[in-house]
Amino acid sequence: MNVNTGKAAGWRGVIDRYSEFLPVTDQTPVVTLLEGNTPLVPVPRFAAAIGAKVELFLKCEGLNPTCSFKDRGMTLAVSKAVEKGAQVIVCASTGNTSASAAAYAARAGIKCVVLLPEGNVALGKLAQALIYGAETVEVRGGFDAALNIVRELGLTGLVEVVNSVNPYRIEGQKTAAFEICDALGDAPDFHFLPVGNAGNITANWKGYREYHAAEKSDTLPKMFGWQAAGAAPIVDGHPIDNPQSVATAIRIGNPASWQGATSAVQESAGSIGKVSDDEILHAYQLLARTEGVFVEPASAAPLAGLIRCVKLDQIPAGSIIVATMTGHGLKDPDIAIKQAGVTPKRAEATLESVRAAIGL
Ligand SMILES: *Cc1c(COP(=O)(O)O)cnc(C)c1O
């Protein structure tokens, strides 16, 4: 297999690269921060550590401009909003959508309003919304309540909604599947990813199907989505009133793209499962320690899922698996420090004292 995992020179963002697959014209004012073209990193040490005899690659979406995959959809959603003359965009967010919306609005010179669930947004994400200059409102309620308000705001016609209920978000996000096929030379056997509002599993599956239909790839992957056990409406078969998880990005009780996720797993002969917070945090730390790849907790859900599948012997040896690492670990430093469970050792500023501290 000839895998091109590097950054291409002269990259001008996902709209430029994949315009033939996207609803844009020469007149569309492209608002881009050169998102996409993220590395597909092989992680053999992690695979060995979990006893998986597979070729595992991580699509490291935390290397996008605002450090999550949300930038792929946001470049298109904001470009289309500007094209139709919108002055204000609005979103509800567990954090990463707001970070991305705020950045692309700043880039476009328009206003951004973000609604966040009070007290449950990771520190890095909140910092982003604030520094990019978004009007930031903490709502006393969860993500689902905030999204309902955003939908109603959208109906006033005064603002453009850039949540993934906006179809341009899904269109932009499907480019991740194109890049994976371009890098591997074909689709992988399995694609693992976290599921929150379920836009991304919907988008990636759409991307694989479109690339296949255009004969840019010969095969289709099985889509394996993973929810957090305390926020697993699709697995449990009903909306969850008060979803809970350490993985705040997937702490969603009533996914907007529920149907899209169900179709993706049915059509691809995949599945949606759930993993506990303990399993998520174990995978999160193991990845960082075995490979030097630091992702946010939600991104570790598919890795926890893979650990499960390997234990149950559900993955044929030699399979090519891609897992989407949806967001960067620095988004949520509090969890990392807590999970590491250690604090820095202390020493005097002398060689002896440092040697004593490290036992060398
Ligand atoms: C948004 C997000 C998810 C969930 O994606 P959905 O499209 O809502 O299913 C997972 N991980 C991270 C880091 C995210 O930002």
Side-chain angles (χ1 to χ4, degrees), residues 30-348:
V30 175
V31 180
T32 179
L33 287 161
L34 309 188
E35 62 295 313
N37 194 26
T38 54
L40 190 65
V41 179
V43 285
R45 281 172 50 84
F46 180 83
I50 66 170
K53 295 180 181 60
V54 300
E55 283 191 68
L56 178 60
F57 297 88
L58 304 184
K59 183 67 170 158
C60 289
E61 293 287 275
L63 279 81
N64 275 298
T66 76
C67 306
S68 86
F69 75 84
K70 299 298 199 296
D71 295 340
R72 293 180 184 277
M74 206 55 74
T75 182
L76 193 64
V78 173
S79 296
K80 295 301 282 188
V82 170
E83 184 173 15
K84 77 180 226 199
Q87 292 296 318
V88 187
I89 61 171
V90 60
C91 66
S93 178
T94 61
N96 281 334
T97 297
S98 55
S100 188
Y104 282 80
R107 187 78 164 164
I110 61 174
K111 198 174 149 138
C112 178
V113 178
V114 306
L115 269 57
L116 305 174
E118 187 180 44
N120 282 309
V121 174
L123 196 61
K125 304 177 188 182
L126 183 60
Q128 287 177 295
L130 296 174
I131 200 70
Y132 293 134
E135 186 83 66
T136 305
V137 184
E138 281 197 340
V139 176
R140 281 184 210 106
F143 169 82
D144 303 281
L147 181 57
N148 284 338
I149 297 167
V150 163
R151 287 184 199 253
E152 286 179 45
L153 266 176
L155 294 177
T156 65
L158 301 170
V159 298
E160 192 66 16
V161 175
V162 295
N163 278 102
S164 57
V165 293
N166 177 328
Y168 296 126
R169 285 276 312 283
I170 306 276
E171 290 298 308
Q173 284 172 204
K174 76 188 179 189
T175 59
F178 298 164
E179 289 179 16
I180 290 166
C181 293
D182 288 344
L184 294 175
D186 210 338
D189 299 315
F190 295 87
H191 188 136
F192 278 52
L193 75 177
V195 172
N197 216 19
N200 209 31
I201 189 168
T202 305
N204 275 272
W205 178 238
K206 188 165 196 282
Y208 283 120
R209 273 183 307 148
E210 289 182 9
Y211 236 39
H212 187 248
E215 297 180 1
K216 300 246 181 199
S217 57
D218 296 331
T219 61
L220 290 165
K222 291 182 168 50
M223 303 298 292
F224 274 51
W226 297 92
Q227 301 197 294
I234 301 178
V235 181
D236 296 348
H238 56 82
I240 306 291
D241 270 345
N242 187 15
Q244 297 296 334
S245 175
V246 66
T248 50
I250 52 173
R251 188 174 169 156
I252 292 176
N254 193 9
S257 297
W258 190 315
Q259 189 53 52
T262 310
S263 303
V265 300
Q266 277 171 0
E267 290 167 22
S268 74
S271 79
I272 297 214
K274 59 180 177 180
V275 282
S276 71
D277 280 7
D278 283 350
E279 290 175 277
I280 289 172
L281 290 173
H282 167 72
Y284 166 78
Q285 188 166 20
L286 185 66
L287 177 66
R289 297 200 167 182
T290 56
E291 298 282 4
V293 176
F294 181 26
V295 300
E296 65 170 279
S299 305
L303 298 178
L306 179 60
I307 292 172
R308 256 214 203 166
C309 290
V310 169
K311 277 189 190 139
L312 296 172
D313 206 14
Q314 290 172 337
I315 309 285
S319 296
I320 295 173
I321 304 180
V322 169
T324 307
M325 296 297 103
T326 45
H328 199 285
L330 288 173
K331 292 273 191 179
D332 203 344
D334 298 325
I335 300 281
I337 290 170
K338 207 167 150 206
Q339 179 63 21
V342 289
T343 48
K345 292 180 173 150
R346 304 193 74 96
E348 298 308 319

